[in-house]
C-alpha cells in the first residue's frame, strides 16, 4: 500500500526545511545544495534512507525553500536562483519519469495561484483525499476506508461508470450473483426417494444475470440410512471470476433414522388374523345375501307370471261379457 504520510522537503547539511502533504511511495523528498552552490540534488527518502534521483546544475546558486513545494501530482517544484538572474527560475522533478526539467511558471500551469493540498492528515491519523473526502485510517489490524460529503456526514462509496470492484482479482458483484445462481441450481436436484433406491437429476439456476448448472443423486441405502450428493458450476466465459474453486459449489449429506421405526401402514400378526376373519365373515354374508336376493328374484318372477295369467283371464271374461250384452240388445 502507498504511504500517505507527511511529506517533508528538507536540505541536507543544515539547509532550510519546508513541508507539505502528498501521496508517495516514499516518506519525503530531500534536496541538497551542490557544494559551491552550483545547483542541487533531489532525493527520495524512506525510513531515513535516501536515494539520489537526479542532479540539476545552476551557475553560481542553489535552491530556495520559500518557493518550493510538492504539487497535487506528487511532483517536486523547486525554486532556483541563478547568479546575476533577476527573479527566479523553477524546476520540476517528475517521479514518474525520474527527470528534472525547467518550467516557465512556479504555478506549473495550474489555474490556481497557490497549490492546494489534496491530501491532508488529521491528528488522529485519519487521511483525507480532497475536500469532500475519501477517508483512510490505518489501525493495528485493519485499513479503514469511508466517504464523507461537504458537511462531514458519512456517505456511500459508489463504484460507477462501469468500473468493477475486485478483491484478489474477483469481481465482487459477479461473485454475489454466482453464489445465488449456484445455490438456485442445487435446489433443482432430487431429494431422498421414497419409492425407489436411487434418484439422479440435473438442474439450472440464475441470479442477477449469471447462470449455473448442477447435477446430483439421492440414494436410499436402507430403511435407516439415506445419502445425497450434488455439485454446481457457473457458466464459462465470465471475466474476473477467479480460480476454479470460485466457480464451483458442492454439497453432500446423509439421513440416518434413529430409534424405533413407526410405520402406520404396518399391522401386527394378531391384527392381521382379526382382519382376515372379518373379511371371511363379510364374504360369507355377501354369499348369503346373494342367495336371498336370488330367491326373492325367483319368487318375484313367479308372481309376475301368475299376475300375467290373471290379467289374461280377466281380459277374456271382459270380452265375453261385452258379446253377451250385445246379443241381448238385439
Amino acid at each position: 500500500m502507498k504511504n500517505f504520510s507527511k511529506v517533508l522537503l528538507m536540505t541536507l547539511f543544515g539547509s532550510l526545511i519546508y513541508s507539505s502533504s502528498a501521496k508517495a511511495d516514499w516518506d519525503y523528498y530531500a534536496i541538497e545544495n551542490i557544494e559551491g552552490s552550483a545547483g542541487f540534488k533531489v532525493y527520495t527518502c524512506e525510513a531515513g534512507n535516501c536515494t539520489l534521483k537526479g542532479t540539476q546544475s545552476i551557475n553560481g546558486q542553489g535552491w530556495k525553500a520559500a518557493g518550493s513545494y510538492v504539487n497535487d501530482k506528487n511532483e517536486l517544484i523547486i525554486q532556483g536562483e541563478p547568479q546575476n538572474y533577476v527573479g527566479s527560475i523553477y524546476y520540476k522533478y517528475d517521479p514518474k519519469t525520474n527527470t528534472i526539467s525547467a518550467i516557465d511558471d512556479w504555478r506549473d500551469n495550474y489555474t490556481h495561484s497557490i497549490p492546494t493540498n489534496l491530501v491532508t492528515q488529521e491528528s488522529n491519523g485519519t487521511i483525507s483525499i480532497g475536500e469532500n473526502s475519501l477517508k483512510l485510517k490505518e489501525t493495528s489490524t485493519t485499513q479503514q476506508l469511508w466517504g464523507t460529503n461537504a458537511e462531514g456526514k458519512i456517505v456511500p462509496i459508489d463504484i460507477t461508470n462501469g468500473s468493477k470492484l475486485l478483491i484478489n482479482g474477483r469481481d465482487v458483484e459477479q461473485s454475489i450473483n454466482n453464489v445465488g445462481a449456484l445455490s438456485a441450481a442445487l435446489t433443482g436436484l432430487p431429494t431422498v426417494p421414497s419409492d425407489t433406491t436411487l434418484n439422479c437429476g440435473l438442474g439450472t439456476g440464475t441470479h442477477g444475470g449469471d447462470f449455473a448448472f448442477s447435477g446430483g443423486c439421492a440414494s436410499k441405502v436402507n430403511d435407516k440410512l439415506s445419502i445425497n450428493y450434488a455439485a454446481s458450476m457457473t457458466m464459462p466465459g465470465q471475466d474476473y471470476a477467479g480460480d476454479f474453486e470460485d466457480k464451483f459449489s458442492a454439497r453432500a449429506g446423509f439421513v440416518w433414522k434413529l430409534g424405533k421405526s413407526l410405520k402406520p401402514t404396518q399391522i401386527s400378526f394378531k391384527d392381521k388374523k382379526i382382519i382376515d376373519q372379518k373379511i371371511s365373515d363379510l364374504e360369507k354374508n355377501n354369499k348369503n345375501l346373494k342367495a336371498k336376493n336370488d330367491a326373492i328374484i325367483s319368487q318375484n318372477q313367479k308372481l309376475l307370471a301368475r299376475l300375467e295369467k290373471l290379467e289374461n283371464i280377466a281380459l277374456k271374461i271382459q270380452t265375453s261379457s261385452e258379446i253377451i250384452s250385445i246379443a241381448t240388445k238385439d
Side-chain angles (χ1 to χ4, degrees):
M1 179 180 295
K2 291 190 175 182
N3 185 3
F4 288 83
S5 62
K6 199 77 170 178
V7 175
L8 180 65
L9 302 181
M10 66 178 236
T11 58
L12 302 181
F13 310 113
S15 296
L16 297 175
I17 296 176
Y18 180 84
S19 65
S20 178
S21 296
K23 175 180 177 180
D25 289 321
W26 53 88
D27 293 332
Y28 55 88
Y29 283 113
I31 306 173
E32 175 191 9
N33 278 326
I34 297 176
E35 187 177 354
S37 298
F40 58 85
K41 298 178 182 180
V42 174
Y43 298 82
T44 58
C45 302
E46 183 176 8
N49 296 317
C50 297
T51 302
L52 178 64
K53 292 297 182 179
T55 300
Q56 177 64 46
S57 298
I58 303 177
N59 185 22
Q61 291 292 331
W63 75 286
K64 291 184 63 176
S68 302
Y69 64 93
V70 177
N71 66 19
D72 52 11
K73 293 183 178 180
N74 201 38
E75 298 167 334
L76 179 60
I77 308 301
I78 307 162
Q79 180 186 16
E81 288 190 291
Q83 190 177 22
N84 301 322
Y85 187 86
V86 178
S88 298
I89 189 170
Y90 291 89
Y91 299 90
K92 177 175 71 175
Y93 170 72
D94 187 343
K96 294 180 180 179
T97 59
N98 193 35
T99 57
I100 301 174
S101 58
I103 55 177
D104 296 331
D105 190 347
W106 69 273
R107 293 168 296 184
D108 195 23
N109 297 323
Y110 287 98
T111 57
H112 47 74
S113 59
I114 299 176
T116 302
N117 294 327
L118 296 181
V119 181
T120 59
Q121 184 173 11
E122 301 175 12
S123 59
N124 63 359
T126 300
I127 296 171
S128 300
I129 302 176
E131 296 180 1
N132 301 333
S133 302
L134 180 67
K135 303 286 187 178
L136 297 165
K137 184 175 182 180
E138 185 176 348
T139 69
S140 59
T141 57
T142 61
Q143 177 68 53
Q144 299 175 357
L145 171 69
W146 69 98
T148 59
N149 59 16
E151 299 176 355
K153 296 180 179 180
I154 302 296
V155 294
I157 297 176
D158 189 10
I159 308 299
T160 62
N161 298 323
S163 294
K164 296 180 180 295
L165 177 62
L166 305 184
I167 296 180
N168 291 330
R170 295 178 61 193
D171 182 349
V172 173
E173 182 181 13
Q174 181 176 270
S175 297
I176 294 172
N177 291 337
N178 282 348
V179 170
L182 290 168
S183 300
L186 287 174
T187 61
L189 298 177
T191 57
V192 176
S194 59
D195 54 354
T196 183
T197 58
L198 179 65
N199 278 351
C200 291
L202 299 174
T204 185
T206 180
H207 181 82
D210 290 339
F211 292 87
F213 59 90
S214 63
C217 293
S219 176
K220 185 176 182 180
V221 180
N222 52 47
D223 290 340
K224 290 286 188 180
L225 178 63
S226 299
I227 60 176
N228 65 87
Y229 38 89
S232 60
M233 182 179 298
T234 59
M235 294 297 183
Q238 293 182 344
D239 296 329
Y240 311 108
D243 298 329
F244 174 77
E245 60 267 19
D246 300 324
K247 311 171 190 176
F248 177 81
S249 182
R251 66 169 171 82
F254 68 92
V255 178
W256 186 15
K257 297 180 181 179
L258 302 175
K260 184 178 179 180
S261 178
L262 299 176
K263 295 185 178 180
T265 56
Q266 291 185 345
I267 57 176
S268 66
F269 180 75
K270 180 179 179 181
D271 293 335
K272 185 175 183 303
K273 289 182 64 177
I274 295 174
I275 292 174
D276 289 343
Q277 183 61 45
K278 289 183 178 181
I279 292 173
S280 178
D281 292 342
L282 287 173
E283 289 176 346
K284 290 179 180 179
N285 290 335
N286 286 337
K287 289 180 180 180
N288 292 333
L289 288 174
K290 186 177 182 301
K292 290 180 180 179
N293 287 336
D294 292 342
I296 292 172
I297 291 172
S298 178
Q299 289 178 358
N300 288 339
Q301 290 176 345
K302 291 178 180 179
L303 290 174
L304 288 172
R306 293 178 66 185
L307 180 60
E308 185 177 357
K309 288 180 180 180
L310 290 173
E311 287 178 347
N312 290 333
I313 294 171
L315 181 60
K316 290 179 180 181
I317 293 173
Q318 182 179 0
T319 304
S320 299
S321 298
E322 289 176 352
I323 295 173
I324 296 171
S325 176
I326 294 169
T328 303
K329 288 180 181 180
D330 292 342

